[in-house]
Amino acid sequence: MAFVRSLREANFVMYRQLLGELIVYFFANSNVNYAGWLPVHLQDMMSSERTHPEMADAFQAGNFVVYRSNGPFPAMSIDQCHE
């Protein structure tokens, strides 16, 4: 639920923290694709301040999610919005 909250609130710091905590569960459940690529994604997000500072600033401003309304918890992940 905390991971969903990080997306709904567009809280990039919380998103990165919880993503790191979730990785072990993908390995434990033998989700091969997620277990393999999630650490790569997390490393990219953690190093974004150094490698792409403009993108990191945009993510910190909440531009890593899609906003569907102006109400409470208006944001959702991009892949969820595509569905």
Side-chain angles (χ1 to χ4, degrees):
M1 293 304 289
F3 183 73
V4 173
R5 179 181 175 190
S6 73
L7 293 170
R8 296 292 185 171
E9 292 179 351
N11 186 334
F12 188 62
V13 174
M14 183 189 296
Y15 168 78
R16 290 188 308 187
Q17 175 190 354
L18 293 169
L19 200 60
E21 293 175 15
L22 287 173
I23 289 174
V24 296
Y25 296 105
F26 289 108
F27 278 99
N29 289 323
S30 297
N31 298 101
V32 178
N33 287 333
Y34 289 110
W37 285 105
L38 205 53
V40 174
H41 173 67
L42 180 60
Q43 178 61 35
D44 289 343
M45 295 299 103
M46 297 301 281
S47 65
S48 63
E49 286 100 4
R50 182 176 36 83
T51 58
H52 298 91
E54 300 86 16
M55 182 191 70
D57 291 341
F59 284 173
Q60 291 289 343
N63 294 326
F64 69 102
V65 292
V66 176
Y67 295 90
R68 300 284 299 200
S69 71
N70 292 328
F73 297 110
M76 61 182 7
S77 64
I78 295 170
D79 64 326
Q80 194 176 26
C81 186
H82 282 274
E83 291 178 13

